[in-house]
Amino acid sequence: MYLPYDPLREAILLELNRAIGIRRAQGASLEALSMEYGLSKDVLQRIAEADDRTTERQAEGHGS
């Protein structure tokens, strides 16, 4: 489903992604994150995988 660009939605999603990333770095489990944010473990796993890929690309870019 295509949604037109919405700066508020984008800002909210970025903040949510950042908050989830911080809690993951603190060692929170997917189960705990699921309860905290009301998201399914599948959604949280996809966010985590995307965040991990971004981190890997950034690390590779800084290492060159």
Side-chain angles (χ1 to χ4, degrees), residues 4 10 16 20-21 25-27 30 39 42 44-45 49-50 56 60 62:
E10 292 296 318
L16 179 61
I20 290 170
Q26 293 172 339
L30 289 180
L39 299 171
D42 182 50
L44 290 166
Q45 184 65 40
E49 289 169 358
E56 288 173 8
E60 290 171 357
H62 290 303

Side-chain angles (χ1 to χ4, degrees), residues 2-64:
Y2 174 77
L3 297 172
Y5 178 74
D6 179 353
L8 179 58
R9 181 181 61 237
E10 292 296 318
I12 291 169
L13 291 173
L14 284 171
E15 284 299 318
L16 179 61
N17 191 21
R18 185 176 297 130
I20 290 170
I22 290 169
R23 293 289 292 127
R24 284 184 61 225
Q26 293 172 339
S29 68
L30 289 180
E31 291 82 13
L33 292 171
S34 178
M35 288 187 285
E36 286 180 38
Y37 296 103
L39 299 171
S40 71
K41 292 178 193 171
D42 182 50
V43 168
L44 290 166
Q45 184 65 40
R46 290 178 189 209
I47 291 170
E49 289 169 358
D51 188 42
D52 291 345
R53 283 191 303 271
T54 299
T55 302
E56 288 173 8
R57 280 194 303 263
Q58 289 173 343
E60 290 171 357
H62 290 303
S64 303

